[in-house]
Amino acid sequence: MKVKQFAVIGIGRFGSSVATQLYDMGHDVLVIDSNEDKIEAIIDRVTHGVVADSTSEAALRSLGITNFDVVIVSIGQNIQASILTTLVIKEMGVNYIVAKARTSLHGKVLQKIGADRIIHPERDMGIRVANNLVATNVIDFIELSPDYSIVEIIAPDDMVDKSLRELDLRAKYGVNVLAIRGADKKINVSPAAHDQIKAGDLLIVVGENEKIQNLSR
């Protein structure tokens, strides 16, 4: 795996979680926050930590922010600082910007000023939990757009010992199987038509939300 350089600006619950996970995965992670206590609390679990004003171009330039592969703006409460920080690093020429949004309007503004990807942690988690409660065989749920999603579901009993050709999920439900994860945790990416579903398999499928719901029932 190629080691990448990430900068995480704003060390709240979301920012801390992202930063430490990336570090645990072996990447270089710089965390930036205006609160010294937050930096001290996380410094042993990341590569570098700096107390700085993220709305200051001079401060960010001194940190070499444009050299990072990805910059994650995870400022939570201060929407103005979130927007200004995103605008500043965009104008500085940062390669790829991921920004956390508190509301849909906040997200639209971040997108307008150049964020490459918008994250809505609370909304996305709410969607996952709701889908899991409605369809108990849904393990995970990733919304690609308002109409399309990727879900990981437990293979129903009536699929066990049948091949993908026999099941013909694309014709019956309008979904595509991207991968199959077996009980042994091995993942079969782009499974062939003759591959059989086994008891305990997890199917990773993509399709329209309505059609996925039909499948999960």
Side-chain angles (χ1 to χ4, degrees), residues 1-9 11 15-32 42-50 63-65 67-72 96:
M1 180 183 67
K2 179 185 176 182
V3 175
K4 291 186 176 182
Q5 292 187 312
F6 294 88
V8 180
I9 302 175
I11 310 303
S16 297
S17 178
V18 171
T20 55
Q21 180 64 31
L22 288 170
Y23 180 73
D24 288 343
M25 293 169 67
H27 298 290
D28 292 330
V29 181
L30 166 69
V31 294
I32 303 169
I42 198 175
I43 193 64
D44 293 334
R45 295 178 290 153
V46 295
T47 312
H48 302 289
V50 177
L63 296 172
I65 203 73
N67 297 324
F68 287 81
D69 297 298
V70 180
V71 176
I72 300 140
Y96 193 83

Side-chain angles (χ1 to χ4, degrees), residues 21 111 124 147 164 193 196 209:
Q21 180 64 31
Q111 191 170 37
D124 293 346
D147 300 315
L164 292 179
Q196 284 193 331
N209 294 335

Side-chain angles (χ1 to χ4, degrees), residues 25-112:
M25 293 169 67
H27 298 290
D28 292 330
V29 181
L30 166 69
V31 294
I32 303 169
D33 200 283
S34 59
N35 187 314
E36 185 175 357
D37 291 339
K38 290 184 178 181
I39 294 297
E40 289 181 355
I42 198 175
I43 193 64
D44 293 334
R45 295 178 290 153
V46 295
T47 312
H48 302 289
V50 177
V51 179
D53 176 6
S54 64
T55 65
S56 167
E57 181 178 341
L60 294 176
R61 196 171 293 282
S62 70
L63 296 172
I65 203 73
T66 56
N67 297 324
F68 287 81
D69 297 298
V70 180
V71 176
I72 300 140
V73 181
S74 58
I75 298 171
Q77 299 299 319
N78 193 334
I79 291 180
Q80 181 177 346
S82 166
I83 293 170
L84 286 175
T85 298
T86 303
L87 183 60
V88 168
I89 62 176
K90 180 65 179 181
E91 291 182 343
M92 291 176 67
V94 166
N95 291 324
Y96 193 83
I97 302 169
V98 178
K100 171 190 171 183
R102 289 191 63 194
T103 66
S104 58
L105 180 58
H106 183 197
K108 288 178 182 178
V109 174
L110 292 170
Q111 191 170 37
K112 288 287 186 182

Side-chain angles (χ1 to χ4, degrees), residues 95-151:
N95 291 324
Y96 193 83
I97 302 169
V98 178
K100 171 190 171 183
R102 289 191 63 194
T103 66
S104 58
L105 180 58
H106 183 197
K108 288 178 182 178
V109 174
L110 292 170
Q111 191 170 37
K112 288 287 186 182
I113 62 177
D116 298 285
R117 182 178 177 187
I118 310 299
I119 303 293
H120 296 266
E122 292 84 2
R123 185 202 67 181
D124 293 346
M125 181 55 68
I127 290 172
R128 291 187 181 193
V129 170
N131 277 275
N132 182 260
L133 292 173
V134 172
T136 54
N137 61 334
V138 173
I139 302 300
D140 206 352
F141 181 99
I142 300 173
E143 185 181 34
L144 300 177
S145 75
D147 300 315
Y148 288 86
S149 300
I150 296 175
V151 298

